[in-house]
Amino acid sequence: EYNCAKYSINPAAYSKLVKQYGESVTETIIENLNKPARPCIRFNDSKSSREHAAILKSLGINFVYGGIVKSAIYPDINGPVSDLDLFQSGLVSIQDEGAQEMGIFTSPKPNTNVLDACASPGGKTVLMSCLMEGKGEITACDIHPHRVENMKKNFLRTKSSNIKSEKRDMSVRQDDFINGFDTVLVDAPCSGIGTAQRRPEIKLFYKEDSSLYELQGNILKNCAKYVKPGGELIYGTCTLFDEENRQIVDRLLGSNNEFGLSEERTVLPDGRAGGFYMARLVRKA
């Protein structure tokens, strides 16, 4: 009760974290989620970190690199990143370091077909386009029309020409997608506790919702059908709860023997990066 009051976290969320990670790690997690969030950016090109550093220094912007991925940069600026010419010209994007790690973890290859099943706001989509060197095609989907339009604006700003945006309900089977993609990323809707540093109301008003688990499992089950033989299915969330992470993966593996778990990773909040889970499932060739 003391820690829940001290860190403004719902008792149900706190208890779930303690059960999964233990008291000591849980307290570190929520301490980090209560630290002021810092803006994090990455460059949308293939230049070297030395060249990126030179650009920032020429603009008088001091910065530090992230500790998880090399592309993450924390600029020391007054005012929003979106006011910078670097952002408005599409040279940089704003993206949490943990979210960058998920895009890198997905590891799409040039000249392949990629599906970003729950893509809004499109940050990971743009990152994957960079990793693919603009070669191949990415289909970015979202269920909400206004989010699709916002993604299109983001892709236009960043000059990401190999991305097409579509309004799709991924909880419903998409017959024209079956066996159509080399890589499918499911960044599933989730409780979002890993992003509470930037959205503190999440940890304060958390409420367990079993219908969310059903939605996550249904989306993953459908998206497994869209992976080509030998292709990869990436499942990820920005939450830390096992019911939304490994248990969803295990449910698919228990009902679909065409897939095997290749690797998984959990990024715990460290005071700068948010918390994320990601798993790579490979379909038999």
Side-chain angles (χ1 to χ4, degrees):
E1 291 178 359
Y2 172 80
N3 278 344
C4 289
K6 179 180 179 181
Y7 296 109
S8 298
I9 184 170
N10 182 288
Y14 181 77
S15 296
K16 286 172 73 71
L17 289 172
V18 168
K19 182 179 179 181
Q20 190 169 337
Y21 297 99
E23 290 187 7
S24 178
V25 174
T26 293
E27 187 159 4
T28 299
I29 289 172
I30 57 179
E31 281 179 347
N32 287 331
L33 289 176
N34 272 27
K35 292 178 180 177
R38 296 180 60 181
C40 184
I41 64 171
R42 60 171 176 76
F43 279 80
N44 297 316
D45 60 28
S46 58
K47 292 182 179 179
S48 67
S49 57
R50 181 178 298 178
E51 291 174 296
H52 293 156
I55 292 172
L56 293 172
K57 288 178 180 178
S58 71
L59 297 172
I61 299 175
N62 295 321
F63 65 92
V64 295
Y65 289 109
I68 300 173
V69 295
K70 295 179 180 178
S71 60
I73 295 173
Y74 293 88
D76 184 10
I77 58 174
N78 293 319
V81 172
S82 57
D83 286 348
L84 298 176
D85 289 340
L86 287 173
F87 178 86
Q88 294 177 3
S89 67
L91 188 57
V92 302
S93 289
I94 304 166
Q95 190 172 38
D96 185 283
E97 187 175 357
Q100 292 186 42
E101 169 63 8
M102 189 186 295
I104 294 169
F105 181 90
T106 302
S107 189
K109 304 297 187 295
N111 300 309
T112 60
N113 288 327
V114 176
L115 172 63
D116 193 345
C118 307
S120 179
K124 297 182 192 69
T125 323
V126 173
L127 174 53
M128 291 193 293
S129 176
C130 294
L131 295 173
M132 295 168 66
E133 301 171 358
K135 302 172 184 177
E137 184 175 80
I138 304 176
T139 303
C141 299
D142 195 88
I143 190 173
H144 300 289
H146 69 282
R147 290 183 178 176
V148 174
E149 291 306 311
N150 287 338
M151 285 197 300
K152 289 180 179 178
K153 293 176 183 177
N154 190 24
F155 303 151
L156 184 64
R157 179 186 66 84
T158 56
K159 304 174 181 62
S160 304
S161 58
N162 68 327
I163 304 173
K164 63 178 182 179
S165 308
E166 297 186 8
K167 177 188 174 298
R168 298 262 187 166
D169 181 356
M170 303 309 289
S171 67
V172 177
R173 174 176 163 140
Q174 308 292 322
D175 287 336
D176 56 324
F177 279 0
I178 292 177
N179 296 327
F181 299 93
D182 300 283
T183 303
V184 175
L185 170 62
V186 179
D187 183 8
C190 67
S191 58
I193 193 73
T195 64
Q197 189 177 8
R198 302 182 189 280
R199 299 174 58 199
E201 73 280 0
I202 287 177
K203 63 182 171 60
L204 186 58
F205 298 114
Y206 169 78
K207 184 177 181 180
E208 185 162 8
D209 182 3
S210 59
S211 66
L212 179 60
Y213 310 154
E214 288 302 312
L215 176 63
Q216 293 162 337
N218 197 26
I219 292 174
L220 187 61
K221 180 181 70 174
N222 285 330
C223 286
K225 299 180 176 71
Y226 312 147
V227 181
K228 294 179 181 178
E232 295 185 342
L233 174 63
I234 311 299
Y235 177 76
T237 72
C238 56
T239 194
L240 302 172
F241 299 137
D242 192 53
E243 292 90 343
E244 301 178 58
N245 294 333
R246 182 57 186 269
Q247 290 186 28
I248 300 297
V249 170
D250 285 343
R251 190 190 308 174
L252 175 70
L253 295 176
S255 62
N256 190 331
N257 60 12
E258 289 190 333
F259 283 86
L261 177 62
S262 172
E263 62 178 310
E264 64 178 341
R265 182 168 185 204
T266 299
V267 176
L268 296 180
D270 64 0
R272 296 191 304 186
F276 290 81
Y277 171 83
M278 56 207 80
R280 184 188 316 280
L281 308 175
V282 179
R283 184 179 177 185
K284 296 176 183 177

